[in-house]
Amino acid sequence: MFKLIMKQLWSRRKNNVWLFVELVVVTVVSWIVLDPVIVSLHDKHVPLGYDVERLCLINFSEFQFRTETTREAFEEEKRGALELFKTKLKQLDDVENVCLLTSNYPDNQQNNGSSGAISEQATHSRFVIMKGEPTLQMYGVRVVSGNLTLEDIENGNCPEDGIVVTASLARRFCGTEQAAGRKVSSYTIAAVVSDIRMRSSSVNADVMIDRQSQYHSTFRLLVRLKPGVVPQRFSEEIYEWAVKELRTDNLHVKNVIAYEDAAEKLNGYNGYTNTVHMNTAFAVFFLFNLCIGVVCTFWLQTKQRYEEVGIMRSFGATGRRIVMQIMTEGFLLTTAAVIVGCLAYLQYVWNESLYLGRDLINPRTDWVGDFGIHFLVVSVIVYLIMLIVVGIGIYIPARGISRVTPVDALRSDE
C-alpha cells in the first residue's frame, strides 16, 4: 500500500507541489503566531507559590501631617490607629489572620521589588516583608532548607550575614535547593524557602526575602479569610465597616479588594492582560482562517478524485481502504511540509530568539528556556494542528466519494 501511495503522490505532483508550498507557508506563519501564545498560556498556569483564594487587600490613603504636630507625633498617631484597626479586624468572624505589608510584595501596583545582585551568578528581586508580621505564613510559604522557622525569618532571627532566598535562586547560586549554610559572596544562606513568583504575569521566582521595620512609609493590610468565605463578597461587605472603624484624620481606608482582583488589575495596568488577549484573539482568528483555507483546498482536491476512486472501487478496493489511502497521502505531504517549514523558521530564530516571556531577570531554566525543547514542543503543537486541519479537509469528502459505485463514477466522468 505504501508503494501505491508514493506512486499516487508522484502522479499528482503538479497539484501536490502547490499544496506543499501552501503548507510550508502556513507552518511558518503558525510558528510566528502560536509561539508567544503557547508560552504566555504556560506562564499563566505556572504555580504562583502562594494561595490567593482566601486573600484580600486593604489599601489606605494617607494625608500630609499637620504643621502644628511633629512628624514623630503624626507617625505615632497613625500607628496607634492602625494597630487598633488590625485588632478589630482580627476579631471578625470571617477573618483568619491579618498582617501588615510594605509596598514591595508580589503583584503590587507600584513596583515589583528592586532588583540587585549579591553574586555574579544571578540577580534577584526583593520580597520585602515587615519585621514581626506573619507574612510568609499567610502566603503559605514553606522552608525548604535550613533550621530556621518561618517565625524566625519574619522576626529577623538569623545570622548577621545571613540571607533568605527562594529555591529557584538557591539553585542558581549553588545548583541545589539544599543550600542552607553555604557561602555566596560575603553572605551565608541562612534558609531556603519555596518559590514565590513576584508577579502573576512573570515566572520570575529568583527572590531574596528582606525585612524592614514594622512600619514603613507605604503599607497595606493583607487579610487571610476563613475557609468558605468568598473574597469578593467579603471585600464588598467590609468596606463601609472599615471606613467607620479607622477613626483618624491622618489615615483612611481607600478600598478593600480581593487579592486575585488586585493581581488582575495590575496585569491590566501594565498591559499584560491586553497583550495576552490580543495574541490569543489573533491566534484564534488565524487558526479559523487556516482551517477554512486549508480545509477548502484539500476538500476540493479530494472531490476531484471522484473518477480515480471509482476505478479503485472497480478493482475491489473497500471504502475504508480508499479513505485511509487518501488520508495517508495527505498526512505524508503535511509531515514533509511541516518539517521543511520548521527548519526554515529555525534559520531565523537561531540567530534571533524564541519567545521567552516577560519580566525576566535571569535566563529561564524550564523547557521554555531550553532552545531545543522549546523548539520541539512548539513544532509538535504546530504539527498536530496541521494534521487535524488537513485531516478534516480530506476525511469528510473522501468518506463521501468512497461510497460511489464504479458505474456511477464512470457515468459522471462522461
Side-chain angles (χ1 to χ4, degrees), residues 363-381:
R364 296 186 66 154
T365 57
D366 57 357
W367 69 267
V368 177
D370 187 306
F371 186 91
I373 298 178
H374 185 163
F375 187 82
L376 179 62
V377 168
V378 180
S379 295
V380 169
I381 294 175

Side-chain angles (χ1 to χ4, degrees), residues 325-344:
Q325 178 178 325
I326 297 176
M327 290 196 68
T328 303
E329 292 175 17
F331 287 167
L332 287 176
L333 187 65
T334 302
T335 300
V338 170
I339 291 174
V340 172
C342 288
L343 290 177

Side-chain angles (χ1 to χ4, degrees), residues 35-136:
D35 188 25
V37 175
I38 292 171
V39 173
S40 297
L41 293 177
H42 167 268
D43 290 352
K44 188 175 182 179
H45 293 89
V46 172
L48 292 171
Y50 51 93
D51 178 20
V52 300
E53 292 182 356
R54 293 186 289 121
L55 290 178
C56 277
L57 292 170
I58 300 181
N59 300 305
F60 300 94
S61 292
E62 183 178 349
F63 299 107
Q64 295 292 331
F65 71 95
R66 299 184 298 273
T67 55
E68 63 271 15
T69 62
T70 63
R71 167 62 69 176
E72 291 75 15
F74 170 77
E75 292 294 336
E76 188 63 30
E77 181 182 350
K78 181 177 67 175
R79 294 174 187 177
L82 188 59
E83 285 297 328
L84 181 59
F85 179 72
K86 284 176 57 181
T87 301
K88 293 180 179 180
L89 193 59
K90 290 180 181 179
Q91 295 173 350
L92 296 179
D93 294 336
D94 292 340
V95 175
E96 183 176 290
N97 205 352
V98 181
C99 78
L100 197 62
L101 296 176
T102 67
S103 61
N104 296 329
Y105 67 95
D107 270 327
N108 59 309
Q109 296 186 29
Q110 297 185 25
N111 57 65
N112 195 25
S114 58
S115 298
I118 57 177
S119 168
E120 294 181 357
Q121 297 173 333
T123 56
H124 65 273
S125 294
R126 294 172 63 227
F127 180 14
V128 184
I129 64 177
M130 293 266 193
K131 187 176 180 180
E133 295 287 333
T135 311
L136 300 180

Side-chain angles (χ1 to χ4, degrees), residues 32-33 82 90 101 103 115 135 198 219 224 242 299 308 311 341 347 361 393 398 400:
I32 297 173
V33 173
L82 188 59
K90 290 180 181 179
L101 296 176
S103 61
S115 298
T135 311
M198 286 300 292
F219 53 83
R224 167 69 68 182
W299 191 299
E308 178 186 330
I311 296 174
Q347 306 307 308
I361 63 173

Side-chain angles (χ1 to χ4, degrees), residues 115-315:
S115 298
I118 57 177
S119 168
E120 294 181 357
Q121 297 173 333
T123 56
H124 65 273
S125 294
R126 294 172 63 227
F127 180 14
V128 184
I129 64 177
M130 293 266 193
K131 187 176 180 180
E133 295 287 333
T135 311
L136 300 180
Q137 299 176 62
M138 290 184 59
Y139 273 117
V141 177
R142 57 185 176 82
V143 177
V144 175
S145 173
N147 296 322
L148 296 180
T149 63
L150 291 178
E151 292 86 345
D152 291 332
I153 297 172
E154 291 163 342
N155 293 324
N157 299 329
C158 59
E160 185 176 346
D161 64 340
I163 58 174
V164 178
V165 299
T166 58
S168 178
L169 191 56
R171 286 193 296 268
R172 291 191 182 277
F173 284 148
C174 307
T176 177
E177 297 178 1
Q178 305 301 316
R182 297 197 182 187
K183 283 282 188 180
V184 178
S185 186
S186 59
Y187 299 91
T188 301
I189 298 179
V192 178
V193 298
S194 54
D195 281 343
I196 180 169
R197 287 165 58 186
M198 286 300 292
R199 185 169 289 180
S200 58
S201 61
S202 169
V203 293
N204 171 33
D206 302 323
V207 180
M208 185 176 73
I209 309 298
D210 199 2
R211 292 159 299 278
Q212 289 188 353
S213 59
Q214 190 174 9
Y215 288 92
H216 194 257
S217 58
T218 57
F219 53 83
R220 298 175 177 184
L221 284 181
L222 179 67
V223 181
R224 167 69 68 182
L225 304 176
K226 292 181 179 179
V229 181
V230 180
Q232 286 77 8
R233 178 183 61 79
F234 175 83
S235 61
E236 293 176 0
E237 295 177 352
I238 204 67
Y239 175 71
E240 292 186 6
W241 174 90
V243 171
K244 294 178 181 178
E245 290 298 326
L246 186 61
R247 298 176 180 176
T248 173
D249 295 333
N250 305 322
L251 193 69
H252 76 274
V253 175
K254 182 178 180 181
N255 59 46
V256 182
I257 186 171
Y259 199 102
E260 291 177 295
D261 295 340
E264 190 61 33
K265 182 178 179 181
L266 171 68
N267 290 336
Y269 177 78
N270 63 28
Y272 173 73
T273 301
N274 187 46
T275 300
V276 172
H277 287 172
M278 288 185 61
N279 288 341
T280 304
F282 181 67
V284 171
F285 176 77
F286 167 76
L287 290 176
F288 176 78
N289 285 277
L290 163 70
C291 292
I292 296 298
V294 175
V295 166
C296 289
T297 299
F298 277 89
W299 191 299
L300 293 174
Q301 290 292 327
T302 304
K303 293 288 283 186
Q304 291 175 359
R305 302 178 68 172
Y306 194 80
E307 177 188 356
E308 178 186 330
V309 169
I311 296 174
M312 293 172 65
R313 290 279 287 169
S314 67
F315 281 93

